[in-house]
Amino acid sequence: QRCCCGCLAFHPQRGGMLRSLLVYDFVVFLSVVCCAALACATSEGWRLRSWLFWCRVLYGLCSLPFLLFMLPPLDRILLHSRTTGYDRYGRCVAPLSLRDRQLRHEIRAKRSAAGDPAAGAAAAGVPLAAGARCSSSSARRKSRDSDAQAAYDEAHLH
């Protein structure tokens, strides 16, 4: 459902435990900021630095409930999300499988052995500069694509 302004309506049933953890984090954050402000108003020098250090420690310790979301088997169960990453062009993509990473490594090794100018750019993780030439049309195509696409092409088209 949408509100009169077009945004999604608030649903109190959605969010579950995550909503209460965000409220908890907000309260802890405000408490630590108030403690730091009090320290700034009443202390100076090494005492101020020590107060600010202990404020950071307190906030870090109070963030321990969020550690569950970082554990590999529990993150998918609790967050219901998929792992993603970014290619060198900034596009959001699925992460490479082990086989795709091995193919990418083999392709880079073949390119560098052949003296292809796209190999150095691909190994460094940057695209070729504008106007740079590759040795073949397939290398030119691969230098424009992401590494995952190049590995897929190499495995499935040759």
Side-chain angles (χ1 to χ4, degrees), residues 129-150:
R133 298 245 179 234
C134 295
S135 61
S136 68
S137 62
S138 65
R140 224 177 3 258
R141 186 187 77 245
K142 288 177 186 173
S143 68
R144 284 193 313 264
D145 293 342
S146 67
D147 292 332
Q149 185 65 44

Side-chain angles (χ1 to χ4, degrees), residues 95-105 147-148 151-152:
L96 294 177
S97 67
L98 177 61
R99 184 172 185 276
D100 289 338
R101 286 191 303 249
Q102 290 170 342
L103 284 172
R104 180 179 63 183
H105 180 71
D147 292 332
Y152 179 84

Side-chain angles (χ1 to χ4, degrees), residues 67-105:
L67 182 65
L68 292 174
F69 296 107
M70 296 181 72
L71 299 175
L74 293 177
D75 61 349
R76 287 191 179 181
I77 295 169
L78 295 174
L79 296 176
H80 306 289
S81 62
R82 294 180 305 168
T83 304
T84 59
Y86 295 95
D87 64 5
R88 64 182 173 190
Y89 300 108
R91 296 177 294 204
C92 186
V93 296
L96 294 177
S97 67
L98 177 61
R99 184 172 185 276
D100 289 338
R101 286 191 303 249
Q102 290 170 342
L103 284 172
R104 180 179 63 183
H105 180 71

Side-chain angles (χ1 to χ4, degrees), residues 53-76:
F53 169 78
W54 286 111
C55 287
R56 289 177 61 191
V57 169
L58 176 65
Y59 187 71
L61 290 174
C62 290
S63 298
L64 282 177
F66 293 96
L67 182 65
L68 292 174
F69 296 107
M70 296 181 72
L71 299 175
L74 293 177
D75 61 349
R76 287 191 179 181

